[in-house]
Amino acid sequence: MGQGDGNRMVVWHADFLRIIFANLCVCTSLYMFLPVVPACMGPVQLGGAAAAWLPFVAFAAGACLPAPFCNFWLDAYRRKSVALWALACLVAATALFLLDLPYYGKWLARMAQGASYGVFQIAVGSTLLLDLSDTRKRTEAAHVYYWFARLALVFGPLAGVMLPLYHGAEAFSAVAVGLQVCAFLLLSGLRVPFRAPLEPSLFTFDRFWLPRGFRLFVPLFGVCLVAGLLMGRHCGAGFCVFLGVGFWLALWLHRCVFRERLQRELACGFCSLVVAALLLSCPLADERWLWVVAVFLGCGLGWTTSRYLLSYIRICEHCERGTAQSSYMLGWDMGLLAGFSCSAGLWGGGTQACSTYIILGLCAATGLFHFLCVKPWYMQNKRK
C-alpha cells in the first residue's frame, strides 16, 4: 500500500471515530429525556396519560415531518453543512428546556428536537457514514455505529435519572446541551470530499423509508416497544449499568458463537426478552434480581436489533443502503419512545400481573410474526 493510500486510511479512521462518538453524544443527550420527559414538559391539563403520550407524539411527528425533504437537502447542499445545521437546531431546541416556557412552548421544543434529530440521523448515519467508509467495510461500519447508539441507551437514562436527583433540572438540560455541542465540534472536523450538487426531487422518501422493509420494521418496533416497557418500569442506576453488561454479553456471543447463525440468534434474543419479562413479574424481586432482568434484556435487545440491521442491509439494493439504515433507526427510536410512553400507564394502579401478561403477549406475537411471516419472506428476498 502506497503512502497516499495509507494517509487516506488514517483520515477515514479518524473521521469514522468522529462520526460514531458524535452519534453517541447526540443519542445519549436525547435518551436522557426518556425517563423524565413528562416532568420536563410541565403541567398538562389532559391528565397523566396525555403527559406520557404527547411528548412521544411531538417527537415522532417532528422526526417524520422534515424527512421527505432530506434527500433534496443532502444532494443540493454540502452534506456536512446539513448535518451541522441539524445539530445547531438540536442544541437550540434542547437549550429551550433551560427556560421557563409555557407548556405549549415545550411541546414545540420537543417537536423541534425530533425534527433536528431525524435530519441528523439521515445526514450522518445514512449518508456521511457511507460516504466516508470503504465499500467493502460499510456493513461493519454500520454495525459499529448502531452499537454505539445502543450504548447510549445505557448512558442516557442513567444520566437522566441521576442528574435531576442530585443536581437539579438545570444541570440536566445543561449536560444535554453540552453533549450536543461536543457532537457539533466533532463533526466540524470532518474532511468530506467535494461533490458537485445534483438536482433531486424536492419531496421523496429516499434516505428515509424503505417500503419493502415493512415486514422487518414490525418486529423491530415490537422488540423495542417491549424494551421500552421494561425499562420504563425500572430505570435506576443499577439497572442501566447491568443493561450495559447484557449488551456486552450479546456482542461477545455474537462475535464468538453465533456469527452467521442469524435465525438462531434471533430466537435466543426473543427467548431472552421473555425471560426478562417473567423475572420482572417475580413477587420476590429486589434490586439485585432486577439486575438479572437487565442483563437478559440487554442480551435480547442486542441480539435481535443487531440482526434486524443486517437483515435490512441484505434486502436492499446497493443504492438503498442509506434508506434501509434510516428505516432501521426509525423502528429503534419509535419503539423505545412508545414503550417508555406506555409504561407510565401500564405499570400503574396495581396492574403488575396484567402488565406482565401484556408484555409476554407482545413478545410471543412479535416472535411468531417473525418466524411465520418474516423469515420465509426474508430467505427468498435477501441478497448475498
Side-chain angles (χ1 to χ4, degrees), residues 295-318:
V295 172
F296 276 99
L297 176 60
C299 288
L301 191 60
W303 283 329
T304 52
T305 56
S306 63
R307 284 308 192 175
Y308 280 125
L309 172 62
L310 181 61
S311 299
Y312 257 112
I313 292 173
R314 284 184 173 175
I315 65 163
C316 68
E317 300 297 333
H318 177 76

Side-chain angles (χ1 to χ4, degrees), residues 276-301:
L278 288 172
L279 291 177
L280 191 62
S281 66
C282 178
L284 301 178
D286 57 10
E287 185 177 3
R288 295 182 180 179
W289 192 255
L290 294 176
W291 296 348
V292 180
V293 174
V295 172
F296 276 99
L297 176 60
C299 288
L301 191 60

Side-chain angles (χ1 to χ4, degrees), residues 75 175 315:
D75 281 339
V175 170
I315 65 163

Side-chain angles (χ1 to χ4, degrees), residues 56 64 208-225 308-309 311-312 315 323-336 366 369-370 374 377:
F56 162 69
C64 294
F208 171 59
W209 178 252
L210 187 68
R212 68 172 173 278
F214 179 73
R215 294 198 190 196
L216 295 173
F217 181 87
V218 172
L220 172 63
F221 180 88
V223 165
C224 295
L225 176 65
Y308 280 125
L309 172 62
S311 299
Y312 257 112
I315 65 163
T323 308
Q325 291 178 195
S326 293
S327 299
Y328 167 83
M329 199 65 186
L330 184 67
W332 165 270
D333 284 317
M334 295 302 105
L336 287 175
T366 303
F369 181 82
H370 171 82
V374 177
W377 169 85

